[in-house]
């Protein structure tokens, strides 16, 4: 198992386009992927699950992967979040 | 859910199937008629769908405007349109319930997460699809309030 804490920093948070991009990426991995905010965890491959967490800018989440490609999955998801989903940074 | 955001005037039941862009236009018109958004917002809804589908799984679509069209929202509200035969959203996806969202500022995320919480459960979605009264729709969607 691999897990990583990360703060979402893109302007719109993890919904709409960023949520779709996130799910498109998670779908490519075989590992079981979970995203946790506070005490709620959801399947990171479900867009409705992710939307239900209401992750806005500045929210800390934990990514958890378990399976054959867990390392790569977490690395790439962290990269997507850190890159602000290609939104560009308004700072 | 606050009556100002969702009430019986915001719900259409048992509509016949139609092409996706017409269904989104219908959802948009209802948002305009009930005073939530101006006409421009509906253009933003069509653009959002064209650039990235608002089909979110489980037979649900949540049409809403692109971020730059948020300024055309007058007050927060949602509208719900039920299509028993489904609307074709491409790639084999049929949406039976369209939930149009106009969320002003931070309310967008709140409304979205509360709808998603309800629609994650297939049982709730089935009940939305089969609901024969507007009050039932309101009650099901209220289950997502935290």
């Amino acid at each position: 198992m691999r897990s990583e804490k990360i703060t979402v920093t893109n302007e719109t948070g993890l919904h709409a386009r960023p949520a779709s991009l996130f799910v498109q990426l998670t779908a490519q991995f075989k590992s079981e992927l979970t995203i946790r905010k506070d005490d709620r965890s959801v399947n990171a491959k479900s867009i409705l699950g992710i939307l239900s967490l209401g992750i806005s800018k500045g929210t800390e989440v934990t990514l958890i992967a378990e399976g054959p490609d867990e390392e790569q999955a977490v690395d790439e998801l962290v990269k997507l979040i850190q890159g602000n989903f290609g939104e560009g940074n308004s700072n | 859910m606050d009556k100002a955001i969702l009430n019986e005037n915001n719900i259409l039941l048992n509509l016949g199937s139609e092409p996706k862009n017409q269904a989104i236009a219908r959802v948009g018109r209802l948002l305009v008629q009930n005073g939530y958004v101006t006409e421009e917002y509906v253009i933003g809804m069509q653009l959002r769908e064209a650039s990235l589908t608002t089909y979110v799984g489980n037979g649900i679509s949540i049409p809403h405007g692109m971020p730059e069209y948020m300024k055309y929202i007058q007050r927060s509200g949602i509208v719900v349109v039920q299509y028993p035969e489904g609307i074709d959203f491409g790639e084999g996806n049929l949406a039976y319930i369209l939930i149009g969202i106009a969320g002003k500022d931070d309310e967008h995320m709140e409304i979205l997460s509360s709808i998603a919480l309800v629609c994650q459960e297939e049982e709730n979605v089935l009940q939305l699809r089969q609901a024969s009264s507007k009050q039932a729709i309101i009650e099901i969607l209220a289950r997502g309030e935290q």
Side-chain angles (χ1 to χ4, degrees), chain A residues 47-85:
Chain A
I47 193 153
L48 280 167
I50 288 170
L51 294 179
S52 74
L53 292 181
I55 300 164
S56 53
K57 186 183 181 183
T59 303
E60 188 185 71
V61 297
T62 306
L63 302 170
I64 302 147
E66 181 134 37
D69 48 11
E70 58 190 32
E71 294 292 332
Q72 196 200 349
V74 171
D75 285 346
E76 293 205 17
L77 291 169
V78 165
K79 212 160 74 184
L80 181 70
I81 293 174
Q82 280 176 344
N84 287 329
F85 301 86

Side-chain angles (χ1 to χ4, degrees), chain A residues 15-17 47 51-52 55, chain B residues 48 51 56 108-109 113 120:
Chain A
H15 72 123
R17 175 178 293 278
I47 193 153
L51 294 179
S52 74
I55 300 164
Chain B
R48 170 59 163 78
S51 82
V56 288
H108 180 71
M109 198 65 124
S113 63
Q120 271 187 96

Side-chain angles (χ1 to χ4, degrees), chain B residues 31-116:
Chain B
L31 284 170
V32 173
Q33 275 167 17
N34 294 353
Y36 296 111
V37 301
T38 57
E39 300 270 351
E40 292 89 341
Y41 187 75
V42 186
I43 300 169
M45 293 172 78
Q46 296 285 11
L47 289 173
R48 170 59 163 78
E49 186 60 39
S51 82
L52 184 75
T53 185
T54 58
Y55 180 81
V56 288
N58 280 5
I60 301 282
S61 156
I62 48 166
H64 57 273
M66 298 281 267
E68 53 274 36
Y69 285 79
M70 292 294 221
K71 61 185 176 213
Y72 299 113
I73 298 175
Q74 294 169 307
R75 61 191 176 93
S76 293
I78 64 173
V79 299
V80 182
V81 185
Q82 183 197 53
Y83 289 98
E85 292 150 40
I87 299 293
D88 185 356
F89 270 74
E91 297 176 22
N93 295 320
L94 285 178
Y96 300 94
I97 301 288
L98 270 62
I99 304 177
I101 305 176
K104 214 164 165 54
D105 308 320
D106 291 346
E107 286 177 322
H108 180 71
M109 198 65 124
E110 273 172 45
I111 293 172
L112 195 61
S113 63
S114 125
I115 290 170

Side-chain angles (χ1 to χ4, degrees), chain B residues 23 27 41 74 126 128:
Chain B
V27 166
Y41 187 75
Q74 294 169 307
L126 195 65
L128 283 172

Side-chain angles (χ1 to χ4, degrees), chain A residues 26-27 29 31-35 42-45 64-66 73-74 77:
Chain A
T26 55
F29 298 106
S31 297
E32 250 184 63
L33 299 172
T34 305
I35 181 164
V42 299
N43 176 0
K45 296 181 181 182
I64 302 147
E66 181 134 37
V74 171
L77 291 169

